[in-house]
Amino acid sequence: MSRPEKPYKVNLFRPKAGHMRDEVHIILAILFGWGVCTFGFQFLVYACRGTGAGSLLTRLTLFNLPLHFWFTGQFLPLWFIVLCVIFNIYVDRISEYHSRKRDRSYE
Amino acid sequence: MNDSSWSIFVVLLVMLSFILVGLRQKSRESQEYGFGGRYTGRIGGGAAIASNWMSAASLMGLAGIIYLRGYLGLSYVIGWTGGYVLLLVLLASQIRRFGKFTTPEFVGERYGSPAARLMAAVIAIAISVIYCVAQFKGIGLIFAFMFDIGYEQGVTYGALAVVSYLVISGALGVPRNQQLQYMVICVAFIVPLMWLARKLGYFWLLPQFGYGRALTDLASEFRIDFTLPFAGDSLFEWCALCFTLMVGTGGLPHVLSRFYTVPNVRDARWSVVWGLFFIALIYWSAPAFAVFGRLLEARHGIPFTPDAARAAADVIALKTALMAGLPGWLVGVLAAGALSAAFFTVAGLLMTGAASISHDLFYSFINPRASETARMQVAKGGTLVLAALVLLLALNPPGLIAEITAVAFALAGNTIFPLFLLGIWWDRANRYGAIAGMVTGVLCTVASPLLGGVLPGVASYFPVTASALCGAPLVICVMIAVSLATPAPPEEMRRFLEQEVHGHLD
């Protein structure tokens, strides 16, 4: 006879052990990579205005584009794709792992 | 044939081919259609996501805003791609497991409140209408360009064309082939750009990289620095706009409902990656049109005055193609690409909006015993009413295509995104919180035009195109506070969330 389970509350910051906790860890990691590269970089460009580091960021060129313009206009969309690929690979893997552990097939 | 008759010819050809291909497919495999598109694997699903997304804002508005504002325009590029990361990691698989197709259905089911569902339906319709106004502006500008008529006439004819397309394809039962549509849009945008780069003597195989030298030439020949960060605008403006577009992407009703076209959660996730890649292909290219446009204007000695530039911004891609002397049929191809993107976005949004009027407002609230025929009639009438409303607003558009679109994103980011986020990730969120959140979200969106004159602080923290940076967190706080102060939602819903949405592998 199974014991009545303790009621669990769904909360992004307190995931329950198992698949959900693994999933939430990767979600937070991806969001970190997303936020730091998007907004962190803009803060950096802004904070370094008028300094040597600032002119390095805006004068150095890559593919004939100033570094900051290249980073924002071309690298960031690519970075978002990379983040999504990492997320999917990882979630595929944890889903396989947990479904095997529970002896259930995952779709 | 001259330039404009070429473009009319190409545009008609493209529209006709969509109907013909649709009819052929319908007779061949009428069973395989899901919700608005055909499923052909992850790549096909990605192309469907991308073509669902591509609109006049992507093909005309993006180049326009970068042409006008330089580095600030890149926040549109980042906002409209980075939003997919949020959508994928926070919502995609969970809302699929939740199993509700449309935004009002999700809200009604999750929060168990007809009032919340009604509000969500009204907000979703409002988002569609604002989004359509931007598309109508694009359609009007292209019609005005093709037939050499005034903008008001162009937008009226354009509206007539969209409605007749809806009537014809509805009568024939033509499905939308979104993979084909993406191919047409992508080729129609990138081939003219390659031609342009080649004509101007830049690296044309990948014009996305080739425009770097045009930027250098612009700086050395004419002392125009296109890339200066935070010159005319502040860091706050840049980040607020970018964040608003990101959360707006995660809250747009027609984007959220895309996850139901693929058979399982895993394919849904992977098709988001492909969709993002296909979207990025266009977004890497759009700045090139803006840069080539500025360069050609400078070389032709056309002065860059704020008013003239603002008027030219939304058609800069077409203008650049004309200035460079591209062959008429190629300008036609470019116009056809932009027009079909705008056309199908409008068609999709009007139909979804009308379905929402018929289902969520009429059937659920006004007359629950309405027959199937009556509901169909309301949906058809709703399409016409929405189209007329959009036309009325689009006759005197309040801003650039990208700016109008951004307002729709701000509304979505302030209202629907927090509803989905808390609805899925916090089981304590209840109907009172949802309603309070929606009211706060709408207030945040309209705060600047309503209260900006009285309280200047409001206008600077809640700019009309970028209100979600302060708005979305505020709405989330309001939802949490109100939910905690009122009774918890029913136990069944909390158990459903825990076991079905999050506990599928326990």
Side-chain angles (χ1 to χ4, degrees), chain B residues 82-308:
Chain B
Y84 275 89
V85 178
L86 279 183
L87 196 56
L88 173 70
V89 303
L90 287 170
L91 301 177
S93 22
Q94 284 79 12
I95 58 169
R96 217 199 123 90
R97 277 189 223 115
F98 198 96
K100 287 290 163 217
F101 286 80
T102 67
T103 302
E105 275 181 1
F106 173 86
V107 172
E109 180 79 13
R110 166 63 182 85
Y111 295 102
S113 156
R117 176 180 172 160
L118 181 69
M119 281 184 77
V122 172
I123 288 172
I125 293 169
I127 291 169
S128 296
V129 167
I130 302 172
Y131 207 94
C132 277
V133 171
Q135 307 304 317
F136 266 47
K137 184 178 180 192
I139 295 174
L141 286 171
I142 294 177
F143 267 66
F145 164 83
M146 285 195 316
F147 298 103
D148 206 12
I149 47 178
Y151 169 76
E152 280 87 1
Q153 267 180 303
V155 84
T156 315
Y157 293 153
L160 284 176
V162 172
V163 171
S164 16
Y165 175 81
L166 273 173
V167 170
I168 292 172
S169 60
L172 298 175
V174 179
R176 295 169 72 199
N177 185 326
Q178 297 192 305
Q179 283 91 22
L180 174 76
Q181 206 177 305
Y182 175 77
M183 279 301 294
V184 168
I185 291 172
C186 188
V187 169
F189 195 64
I190 291 178
V191 169
L193 184 63
M194 290 166 85
W195 201 293
L196 199 63
R198 194 185 161 121
K199 191 135 193 175
L200 294 174
Y202 298 110
F203 179 56
W204 63 275
L205 274 175
L206 281 174
Q208 292 86 350
F209 292 107
Y211 78 87
R213 268 200 31 232
L215 211 56
T216 326
D217 288 354
L218 201 59
S220 61
E221 284 175 38
F222 304 101
R223 311 218 147 275
I224 298 173
D225 192 356
F226 208 73
T227 65
L228 209 63
F230 316 120
D233 34 75
S234 65
L235 177 68
F236 174 80
E237 256 179 277
W238 202 100
C239 290
L241 186 54
C242 186
F243 185 82
T244 300
L245 299 172
M246 282 172 165
V247 291
T249 306
L252 271 196
H254 73 285
V255 175
L256 286 168
S257 57
R258 282 298 333 171
F259 299 116
Y260 295 96
T261 48
V262 275
N264 61 53
V265 176
R266 182 178 287 198
D267 282 356
R269 274 196 281 106
W270 279 102
S271 53
V272 173
V273 177
W274 281 105
L276 185 55
F277 172 72
F278 291 136
I279 290 167
L281 269 186
I282 300 282
Y283 285 16
W284 280 317
S285 317
F289 272 112
V291 173
F292 290 151
R294 276 296 279 275
L295 184 67
L296 280 170
E297 277 194 358
R299 285 194 179 154
H300 285 107
I302 302 170
F304 186 81
T305 55
D307 286 341

Side-chain angles (χ1 to χ4, degrees), chain B residues 11-30:
Chain B
V11 166
L12 283 178
L13 205 68
V14 168
M15 293 298 162
L16 195 67
S17 69
F18 278 127
I19 293 190
L20 289 180
V21 171
L23 281 178
R24 233 185 111 223
Q25 275 191 343
K26 184 190 156 211
S27 55
R28 206 176 49 204
E29 39 193 343
S30 55

Side-chain angles (χ1 to χ4, degrees), chain B residues 1-10 145-148 322 326-332:
Chain B
M1 281 212 273
N2 61 14
D3 279 1
S4 50
S5 44
W6 260 117
S7 33
I8 297 170
F9 177 69
V10 175
F145 164 83
M146 285 195 316
F147 298 103
D148 206 12
L322 280 183
L326 253 55
W329 63 270
L330 202 59
V331 181

Side-chain angles (χ1 to χ4, degrees), chain A:
Chain A
M1 215 179 92
S2 62
R3 278 176 294 138
E5 284 180 43
K6 217 176 98 198
Y8 169 75
K9 306 290 173 228
V10 177
N11 186 330
L12 178 61
F13 298 103
R14 264 172 295 174
K16 65 182 162 184
H19 179 260
M20 188 180 174
R21 182 169 294 168
D22 290 348
E23 195 181 15
V24 166
H25 284 161
I26 182 74
I27 288 176
L28 295 179
I30 296 282
L31 287 181
F32 180 77
W34 164 85
V36 165
C37 285
T38 310
F39 300 105
F41 181 77
Q42 309 307 327
F43 278 109
L44 188 71
V45 170
Y46 188 77
C48 296
R49 276 168 318 151
T51 66
S55 65
L56 209 65
L57 279 175
T58 48
R59 299 251 154 73
L60 218 64
T61 57
L62 215 71
F63 304 109
N64 289 309
L65 291 168
L67 185 65
H68 71 289
F69 197 86
W70 173 81
F71 186 93
T72 309
Q74 299 199 325
F75 174 74
L76 275 180
L78 184 69
W79 173 239
F80 294 145
I81 297 174
V82 171
L83 283 178
C84 289
V85 169
I86 295 173
F87 177 79
N88 278 342
I89 290 177
Y90 189 84
V91 172
D92 279 353
R93 193 180 293 167
I94 60 169
S95 301
E96 294 284 0
Y97 172 76
H98 286 282
S99 49
R100 204 170 295 136
K101 205 168 138 193
R102 304 294 299 183
D103 197 23
R104 277 167 65 168
S105 69
Y106 175 62
E107 288 171 351

Side-chain angles (χ1 to χ4, degrees), chain B residues 106-107 111 120 415-424 434 438 479:
Chain B
F106 173 86
V107 172
Y111 295 102
T415 52
I416 295 176
F417 182 75
L419 278 184
F420 272 81
L421 185 71
L422 289 184
I424 278 176
M438 277 189 274
M479 276 184 77

